Amino acid sequence: MPRFPFLAGAAVVAASVAWALRLVSADEPLAASSAVLVAGDALLLAIVATAGLLLARSQWARYLAVGLLAAETALAAALPRDGWTWAVLAAVGTAGVLMAAPAASRWVRRLPAVGGPPPRVVVLLVVLVTLPGVVGLAVPGGPGAAQWALAVGALVLAWGYSRAHASALWGLRLGFPLVALAGAVTAGWPGGVAIGAVAAAVTALAWLRDARLAAFPLAPPRVETYRIPPELAPPEVLDAAGLDRSGRRRAPEGS
């Protein structure tokens, strides 16, 4: 593996770790529980993006990394202006420069990998993994039971769906909207609107045909077989099978 992609991925993870620690240690703008939710989700997204970049050389992984770094830069504006924050911004900026470099562009695939998941399925999983961070930002005073259930449920369903479990797909289609509705309503305004919008996108993607095929792969159609009379079979086929011209097994030589 070339050194540059590994260096870029390591920079994304290191910058996200520094950013997460700074967010959790700050008294504002988020309560401790919300900060933990957002910071943990940022680390998870950084790991997912780095794994997709290094292992699959996926274009979506690079886009996810750049989007994560952009969000961390924007949210850092709400952190206290001290030396630690400026150091975190420097780390995030360095990772962003590496991800935007031509070497990173040459590393990723131009086209999706053969046999890989459809783009809409990738978007569904990425949005699911992003949802806990959205929940943490939507309720800066601290998530309640409904928001915690939504955040944890989204990660569980994302894991199950990535493993092609049919139950996870039906959970996304039927159970997830109910939990998301409870989380959005109890979050209030305007955070509930953000949660509801992301949850609606997840539900819409879960009902697409691509999402169903990812969980229920198409099986090859069953074809009826017909017995071929031995008189119509080529002689070399019968000889290879040890059969005579009538289709009966030959007696062993010397018997």
Side-chain angles (χ1 to χ4, degrees), residues 86-197:
W86 289 114
V88 168
L89 282 173
V92 172
T94 302
V97 170
L98 293 175
M99 275 295 167
S105 179
R106 290 191 297 267
W107 167 255
V108 298
R109 300 177 186 272
R110 298 297 181 183
L111 298 174
V114 177
R120 292 176 179 177
V121 173
V122 174
V123 173
L124 171 59
L125 288 172
V126 170
V127 174
L128 269 176
V129 176
T130 307
L131 187 56
V134 174
V135 171
L137 294 174
V139 282
Q147 287 82 43
W148 276 112
L150 177 60
V152 175
L155 296 180
V156 171
L157 289 173
W159 177 85
Y161 183 72
S162 68
R163 306 294 295 177
H165 292 309
S167 57
L169 175 62
W170 288 113
L172 287 172
R173 288 179 169 183
L174 302 178
F176 176 80
L178 299 178
V179 179
L181 179 61
V185 170
T186 56
W189 171 268
V193 176
I195 294 176

Side-chain angles (χ1 to χ4, degrees), residues 197-222:
V198 176
V202 169
T203 304
L205 290 169
W207 281 98
L208 293 178
R209 181 173 180 269
D210 288 346
R212 178 177 60 83
L213 293 179
F216 300 95
L218 291 176
R222 179 175 297 179

